[in-house]
Amino acid sequence: MTPFQDPFDSSAFYVSDGWGSYYASIRLRKLSVETGEELANVLTRDCVRCIHAEEDRLFAILNKRILELDRETLEVRHAYKKGVPQHMDFVGFNGVDKLVMMNWMGGFFNIFDLNTGKTQRKKASNCCGILKETPNFFLVMDGESVLRYNLEKNKFQKLIDTESYTDCVQGTSGALYLLCKGPIVDGEISSKVLVYPTATGGEPLEIVPGELVQHISLSQDEKHLALTRDNRFWLYSIPEGRLVFQHEFDGAFVFEDGLRVFDQNTVLTYRWSEKNLTCWSLVEQML
């Protein structure tokens, strides 16, 4: 799991121990963005694959279990062990009693009932995101189109046919940003971002940064796109239509989801050789 920002407290984020750790000692940790201080932790004995946060609780999705935690203290409220779909990478919650989950490789869209401990499955293709619209409707981003899932009727509705995309993010305006294969620039393969004004379509804006990128994230005001590939970072100004900043981190990997601590203008990197997680600040001149 890449770092996950607390949506109710932008000064905190969550990381899970992973490769290189003994299963018996693996923990989910809550850290301070400002100081790196560990604010809380919980022993999970398995890697956390994804997280969903509510104001009072946190759902940590493990390989074969789901932990319901107190969001402030990470104290375990409930552990779900039976009927849990395995190896889920994306999760949504209806706010009451149902988690919707999917593995990035697809296969099935899973609806887990917290009351009964049972999972209902629906055939589906790939997934690179699950976005909640209302307690009953979720957008499922399958890499080829945008689907709307109706929880009450257990049905999918295709909203948009798109170019193939590998990453996606939704702005506060409701616009969808899809990372697609772009044109060849100066003999090099590049990426492009298609921006749909709404989840139901419309004429997309095409952004071509001129670089090959792996992941995108978006500033809260939707003025800047953060683009990453391995240890490289770019900042693209949407109003200006150009790259305004770029940086290469020496020996450090840029976390794609860690960029969603973007409200604080920060970038998270990890240096494998030193097992060092670092929070970098983007100074005002860059923005």
Side-chain angles (χ1 to χ4, degrees), residues 64-181:
K64 299 179 181 180
R65 292 177 291 133
I66 298 173
L67 297 181
E68 184 178 333
L69 310 170
D70 182 279
R71 191 180 64 83
E72 291 292 338
T73 66
L74 296 188
E75 178 183 357
V76 178
R77 291 184 175 182
H78 194 92
Y80 300 90
K81 302 177 181 179
K82 295 182 178 180
V84 173
Q86 297 183 13
H87 312 303
M88 298 292 101
D89 297 309
F90 301 97
V91 60
F93 182 49
N94 72 341
V96 183
D97 58 359
K98 289 183 175 62
L99 293 167
V100 293
M101 296 176 285
M102 201 166 170
N103 179 274
W104 72 273
M105 293 181 66
F108 292 94
F109 186 77
N110 301 273
I111 306 94
F112 181 74
D113 191 310
L114 299 174
N115 295 324
T116 65
K118 295 181 179 180
T119 296
Q120 184 178 13
R121 302 199 303 173
K122 189 170 182 65
K123 187 69 175 177
S125 56
N126 299 341
C127 183
C128 66
I130 297 175
L131 307 172
K132 181 180 178 180
E133 290 188 302
T134 70
N136 193 54
F137 291 100
F138 296 85
L139 297 178
V140 179
M141 316 300 291
D142 71 358
E144 299 287 344
S145 62
V146 178
L147 307 175
R148 175 177 283 150
Y149 176 73
N150 184 321
L151 183 60
E152 182 180 357
K153 297 182 178 179
N154 189 29
K155 288 185 177 180
F156 283 117
Q157 175 192 3
K158 182 180 289 188
L159 301 179
I160 314 173
D161 274 314
T162 69
E163 296 183 33
S164 295
Y165 61 94
T166 56
D167 198 11
C168 59
V169 64
Q170 186 172 35
T172 53
S173 68
L176 292 176
Y177 295 72
L178 311 181
L179 178 62
C180 308
K181 181 179 178 180

Side-chain angles (χ1 to χ4, degrees), residues 10-284:
S10 60
S11 68
F13 67 100
Y14 305 89
V15 293
S16 172
D17 296 337
W19 296 110
S21 303
Y22 292 105
Y23 276 96
S25 66
I26 291 179
R27 293 178 179 271
L28 175 67
R29 305 176 189 275
K30 183 179 183 179
L31 305 179
S32 165
V33 174
E34 298 173 354
T35 67
E37 175 189 5
E38 186 172 288
L39 306 174
N41 71 73
V42 60
L43 183 65
T44 59
R45 294 190 174 91
D46 196 359
C47 303
V48 177
R49 297 181 68 95
C50 57
I51 285 177
H52 176 81
E54 293 285 304
E55 192 166 3
D56 63 334
R57 55 181 166 169
L58 197 74
F59 291 100
I61 313 302
L62 283 62
N63 283 304
K64 299 179 181 180
R65 292 177 291 133
I66 298 173
L67 297 181
E68 184 178 333
L69 310 170
D70 182 279
R71 191 180 64 83
E72 291 292 338
T73 66
L74 296 188
E75 178 183 357
V76 178
R77 291 184 175 182
H78 194 92
Y80 300 90
K81 302 177 181 179
K82 295 182 178 180
V84 173
Q86 297 183 13
H87 312 303
M88 298 292 101
D89 297 309
F90 301 97
V91 60
F93 182 49
N94 72 341
V96 183
D97 58 359
K98 289 183 175 62
L99 293 167
V100 293
M101 296 176 285
M102 201 166 170
N103 179 274
W104 72 273
M105 293 181 66
F108 292 94
F109 186 77
N110 301 273
I111 306 94
F112 181 74
D113 191 310
L114 299 174
N115 295 324
T116 65
K118 295 181 179 180
T119 296
Q120 184 178 13
R121 302 199 303 173
K122 189 170 182 65
K123 187 69 175 177
S125 56
N126 299 341
C127 183
C128 66
I130 297 175
L131 307 172
K132 181 180 178 180
E133 290 188 302
T134 70
N136 193 54
F137 291 100
F138 296 85
L139 297 178
V140 179
M141 316 300 291
D142 71 358
E144 299 287 344
S145 62
V146 178
L147 307 175
R148 175 177 283 150
Y149 176 73
N150 184 321
L151 183 60
E152 182 180 357
K153 297 182 178 179
N154 189 29
K155 288 185 177 180
F156 283 117
Q157 175 192 3
K158 182 180 289 188
L159 301 179
I160 314 173
D161 274 314
T162 69
E163 296 183 33
S164 295
Y165 61 94
T166 56
D167 198 11
C168 59
V169 64
Q170 186 172 35
T172 53
S173 68
L176 292 176
Y177 295 72
L178 311 181
L179 178 62
C180 308
K181 181 179 178 180
I184 296 177
V185 178
D186 297 329
E188 299 289 334
I189 299 175
S190 68
S191 300
K192 69 178 177 183
V193 178
L194 293 180
V195 186
Y196 285 89
T198 70
T200 56
E203 186 65 28
L205 169 69
E206 187 173 291
I207 294 174
V208 182
E211 300 286 350
L212 180 64
V213 302
Q214 294 170 316
H215 299 285
I216 59 175
S217 61
L218 185 67
S219 62
Q220 184 115 10
D221 59 10
E222 295 190 54
K223 291 184 178 180
H224 293 93
L225 269 174
L227 315 169
T228 66
R229 185 181 81 238
D230 299 327
N231 67 331
R232 302 186 68 185
F233 172 85
W234 298 269
L235 199 62
Y236 183 92
S237 171
I238 297 175
E240 297 179 49
R242 65 183 182 92
L243 293 174
V244 294
F245 177 74
Q246 56 184 323
H247 185 74
E248 187 170 329
F249 294 93
D250 184 23
F253 174 83
V254 183
F255 279 117
E256 66 271 18
D257 288 336
L259 292 168
R260 290 170 190 167
V261 188
F262 205 49
D263 301 346
Q264 300 231 338
N265 301 329
T266 58
V267 179
L268 293 174
T269 65
Y270 186 75
R271 189 181 297 273
W272 293 98
S273 60
E274 301 174 8
K275 296 182 173 59
N276 187 349
L277 181 66
T278 305
C279 182
W280 303 83
S281 177
L282 295 176
V283 298
E284 186 176 350

